Amino acid sequence: VEEEQKENLIFYHSEKLAIGFGLISTPCGTPLYITKNLRVCCDCHTFTKFTSKIVGREIVVRDANRFHHFKDGVCSCGDYW
């Protein structure tokens, strides 16, 4: 897969879409809870950390292996997943 195709593919990961929808459809300050049946990729993990820092909300993502609690730009897994 070429580099440009890879970049386009990452834009559509399910947790990014779920987080975006959650941010526009829930009240400010409430935590977001996302469940996923696959592991979180490195890009989405980084995206979620930055998003939690920027919007000031807790984001909890349940993937195939564990819960990831993102708050203030930090993940509970210590970036080891």
Side-chain angles (χ1 to χ4, degrees):
V1 178
E2 291 184 29
E3 197 61 35
E4 186 176 325
Q5 288 176 317
K6 286 181 191 176
E7 289 175 7
N8 288 333
L9 291 173
I10 334 191
F11 290 128
Y12 303 109
H13 284 198
S14 61
E15 58 267 50
K16 287 182 181 179
L17 295 173
I19 290 168
F21 180 76
L23 289 174
I24 64 171
S25 63
T26 59
C28 290
T30 59
L32 294 179
Y33 297 95
I34 309 294
T35 303
K36 193 176 157 66
N37 62 346
L38 301 171
R39 290 185 62 202
V40 175
C41 75
C42 181
D43 180 66
C44 291
H45 194 267
T46 303
F47 169 82
T48 309
K49 284 194 317 184
F50 288 137
T51 302
S52 73
K53 177 81 171 176
I54 291 167
V55 300
R57 291 174 74 171
E58 181 180 5
I59 303 171
V60 180
V61 179
R62 169 69 170 129
D63 73 5
N65 294 334
R66 65 178 45 94
F67 284 91
H68 297 267
H69 295 263
F70 298 92
K71 188 171 184 178
D72 298 323
V74 178
C75 181
S76 61
C77 75
D79 294 338
Y80 178 79
W81 72 102

